[in-house]
Amino acid sequence: MTRVTVVYEAQLLRTALVELLRSGGVVVVSSLPRWPHGPAAGKSEPDVYVADAECLPSSATPPVTAAAPLPREGSGARPPLLALVPGQRPGVLRRAHAAGAAGFVDQDAPKGRLLEAVHRLAKGERFIDDTLALGFLQAAEMPLTRRELSVLSLAADGAPVAEIAATLFLTKGTVRNYMASVIRKVGARNRVDAIRIAQGAGWT
């Protein structure tokens, strides 16, 4: 039996995903609304993490390892991460890749494809949904640097220039230069438009 931990923020969708996996003969040992940062007391270790890629840390934060919370006893290996990715948001696909995902399944994929991916990851294989090929190409073309993403992510949270500068240990002039670069690279009209474009692509 393959054992999984499901990570999905929306409770209704998380419950539906759990039931779908169980109907395919998968044992769900736990389900969580957020990506875990440590082992949960009393919880069995899964063979695979199945996570909504939106639940993974953004590209503006240090990437997580493939399954940072729970190293496998005795082997040092970590349970692999299967990311559920929206096909039209290349930034989210990039985030899942940075998180060390070993498998990628389109959120619109049929049940059989998801179950195949889970079982293949449990056997130590990788899985990439064929329908995500274009998304990978678009993700590879993401124009912003990590520092620009950090600035943009803080700006998207409503932080003013002075706060962004203090948080990232930059001068206010440098922050403004980064924002100007972001606006130019994404073809935006202004800061607000740049945030809209980046969020639409899933970069922040």
Side-chain angles (χ1 to χ4, degrees):
M1 284 289 188
T2 300
R3 300 166 301 169
V4 307
T5 287
V6 170
V7 184
Y8 213 114
E9 184 175 3
Q11 182 176 351
L12 182 61
L13 296 178
R14 186 169 71 250
T15 300
L17 180 58
V18 167
E19 292 303 317
L20 185 152
L21 289 166
R22 285 176 174 163
S23 71
V26 173
V27 176
V28 179
V29 297
S30 61
S31 63
L32 309 167
R34 290 175 295 279
W35 182 255
H37 296 291
K43 297 293 185 181
S44 299
E45 179 186 0
D47 299 308
V48 178
Y49 280 91
V50 178
D52 174 17
E54 300 275 8
C55 293
L56 300 173
S58 73
S59 52
T61 63
V64 297
T65 55
L70 298 171
R72 190 178 297 280
E73 278 187 32
S75 68
R78 292 180 293 266
L81 166 63
L82 175 62
L84 305 180
V85 184
Q88 303 305 312
R89 302 194 71 201
V92 178
L93 182 57
R94 185 183 181 93
R95 182 187 309 174
H97 184 268
F104 305 84
V105 172
D106 194 319
Q107 288 181 347
D108 289 329
K111 171 184 173 180
R113 195 176 302 156
L114 171 61
L115 293 174
E116 178 188 358
V118 168
H119 291 305
R120 285 177 59 175
L121 262 66
K123 292 189 293 185
E125 301 175 12
R126 297 179 66 85
F127 185 92
I128 299 177
D129 198 328
D130 292 342
T131 63
L132 296 175
L134 177 59
F136 269 105
L137 289 174
Q138 292 172 330
E141 297 171 354
M142 199 277 291
L144 304 182
T145 66
R146 179 172 293 276
R147 180 62 82 181
E148 288 168 343
L149 284 170
S150 297
V151 169
L152 189 61
S153 180
L154 290 170
D157 289 337
V161 169
E163 182 179 335
I164 296 172
T167 300
L168 299 178
F169 303 102
L170 301 171
T171 67
K172 289 186 284 188
T174 299
V175 170
R176 293 190 184 95
N177 287 340
Y178 276 127
M179 281 303 307
S181 176
V182 168
I183 291 169
R184 182 181 69 257
K185 284 183 176 181
V186 304
R189 297 184 300 275
N190 51 41
R191 167 175 163 162
V192 173
D193 193 34
I195 292 171
R196 177 190 61 78
I197 292 170
Q199 289 180 335
W203 296 339
T204 61

